[in-house]
């Protein structure tokens, strides 16, 4: 039985004042949301992790980061290490988001190194995969997903299932309002799970696979109702407390 997860990826949004409003609203809504069966994670930008840790204290919501450095410490100006994330109270870190892969040039090898160092620090990882529109149109979705999954299969095999999460995020669905249909997403999730299993991940059936890409309160239930979709990685809708909480409720009900 896989426990559903809903993770909010705030991306490069927010400031001290608006964050405080958002945290207050999330805190206030959590009790009424009755989402005890869902792992809820919030990933604000680095500078606000300390602020978030204070606000989320005692709520059951776990703090996550959006990225980390592949190196443990030292002369890496502007970078943030796995140890620092733990120190600030993070339980999770998103790795290999498509925006980092495409805009910031992260490749499969770097993603794997980041996964390795995060796991070694005891962080849970949410590792993102997904095809672009061009790749889907060219009929190479499975080749792309397969290559991305193969790069971290060995690490997934060695990690506890509770701490290793994969997020399927078709690039064409991120921030565009275009969501993959539940059937399309389910097919990709089933492919990813099968690929993990054939790659030697003995507990592939226990690894959570989240869907991301324009998940909203009104489409979350149909996505989360699919057998291999174990929750969502939420961008835009995680910045609106009611929408985020309703997505968490949909995960609870699924
Ligand atoms: P979106 O972003 O929900 O705004 O599409 C999802 C993500 O990039 O993680």
């Amino acid at each position: 039985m896989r426990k559903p997860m809903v993770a909010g990826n705030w991306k490069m949004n927010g400031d001290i004042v608006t964050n405080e409003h958002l945290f207050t609203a999330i805190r206030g809504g959590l009790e009424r949301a009755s989402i005890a069966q869902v792992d809820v994670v919030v990933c604000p930008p680095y500078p606000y992790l300390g602020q978030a840790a204070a606000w989320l204290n005692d709520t059951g919501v776990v703090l996550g980061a959006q990225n980390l450095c592949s190196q443990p410490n030292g002369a890496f100006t502007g970078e943030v290490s796995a140890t620092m994330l733990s120190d600030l109270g993070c339980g999770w870190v998103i790795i290999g988001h498509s925006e980092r892969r495409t805009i910031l040039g992260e490749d499969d090898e770097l993603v794997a190194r980041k996964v390795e160092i995060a796991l070694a620090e005891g962080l849970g990882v949410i590792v993102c995969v997904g095809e672009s529109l061009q790749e889907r149109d060219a009929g190479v979705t499975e080749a792309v997903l397969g290559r991305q999954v193969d790069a971290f299969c060995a690490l997934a095999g060695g990690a506890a299932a509770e701490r290793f999460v994969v997020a399927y995020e078709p690039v064409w669905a991120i921030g565009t309002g275009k969501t993959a249909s539940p059937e399309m997403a389910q097919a990709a999730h089933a492919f990813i799970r099968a690929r993990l299993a054939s790659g030697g991940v003995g507990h592939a059936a226990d690894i959570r696979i989240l869907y991301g890409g324009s998940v909203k309160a009104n489409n979350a239930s149909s996505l989360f109702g699919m057998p291999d979709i174990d929750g969502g990685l939420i961008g835009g809708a995680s910045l609106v407390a009611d929408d985020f909480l309703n997505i968490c409720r949909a995960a609870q009900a699924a």
Side-chain angles (χ1 to χ4, degrees):
M1 191 62 190
R2 299 184 297 267
K3 188 177 185 189
M5 172 183 278
V6 174
N9 173 11
W10 288 14
K11 308 194 180 185
M12 199 170 70
N13 292 297
D15 55 49
I16 290 174
V17 173
T18 56
N19 294 350
E20 198 162 317
H21 291 309
L22 187 49
F23 286 131
T24 309
I26 292 175
R27 273 197 80 109
L30 275 173
E31 233 167 79
R32 282 175 285 117
S34 53
I35 45 172
Q37 300 312 314
V38 182
D39 279 341
V40 181
V41 180
V42 171
C43 306
Y46 287 146
Y48 304 117
L49 287 172
Q51 181 196 23
W55 274 95
L56 297 176
N57 191 25
D58 297 334
T59 60
V61 175
V62 180
L63 189 61
Q66 300 172 17
N67 180 39
L68 83 171
C69 183
S70 65
Q71 301 295 327
N73 63 277
F76 297 96
T77 301
E79 292 294 296
V80 173
S81 72
T83 318
M84 292 171 187
L85 297 184
S86 296
D87 201 22
L88 280 164
C90 289
W92 292 91
V93 58
I94 299 169
I95 299 176
H97 189 279
S98 70
E99 286 149 17
R100 299 207 60 86
R101 289 179 187 260
T102 58
I103 305 169
L104 295 151
E106 295 196 1
D107 59 12
D108 291 335
E109 197 189 322
L110 180 59
V111 168
R113 281 211 303 277
K114 290 185 174 193
V115 170
E116 193 172 9
I117 203 157
L119 290 171
E121 179 59 36
L123 293 165
V125 295
I126 302 171
V127 195
C128 304
V129 298
E131 82 287 0
S132 67
L133 185 57
Q134 269 167 319
E135 289 162 342
R136 179 160 282 272
D137 287 347
V140 295
T141 296
E142 292 195 347
V144 170
L145 296 179
R147 191 203 75 225
Q148 292 173 334
V149 170
D150 290 350
F152 56 73
C153 250
L155 294 165
E162 310 80 64
R163 289 204 293 126
F164 203 103
V165 171
V166 178
Y168 169 61
E169 299 204 305
V171 179
W172 47 271
I174 295 176
T176 58
K178 287 186 201 139
T179 318
S181 69
E183 294 73 24
M184 198 190 271
Q186 165 58 27
H189 283 230
F191 173 81
I192 291 165
R193 197 178 300 290
R195 188 73 170 216
L196 288 167
S198 67
V201 182
H203 51 3
D206 300 324
I207 287 187
R208 288 172 288 186
I209 306 178
L210 312 183
Y211 171 79
S214 300
V215 178
K216 306 289 174 204
N218 63 6
N219 60 23
S221 296
S222 56
L223 287 159
F224 299 167
M226 302 309 278
D228 284 290
I229 301 183
D230 306 310
L233 180 55
I234 318 300
S238 71
L239 298 170
V240 181
D242 280 346
D243 291 353
F244 186 63
L245 291 166
N246 280 330
I247 292 168
C248 293
R249 281 192 188 96
Q252 165 93 15

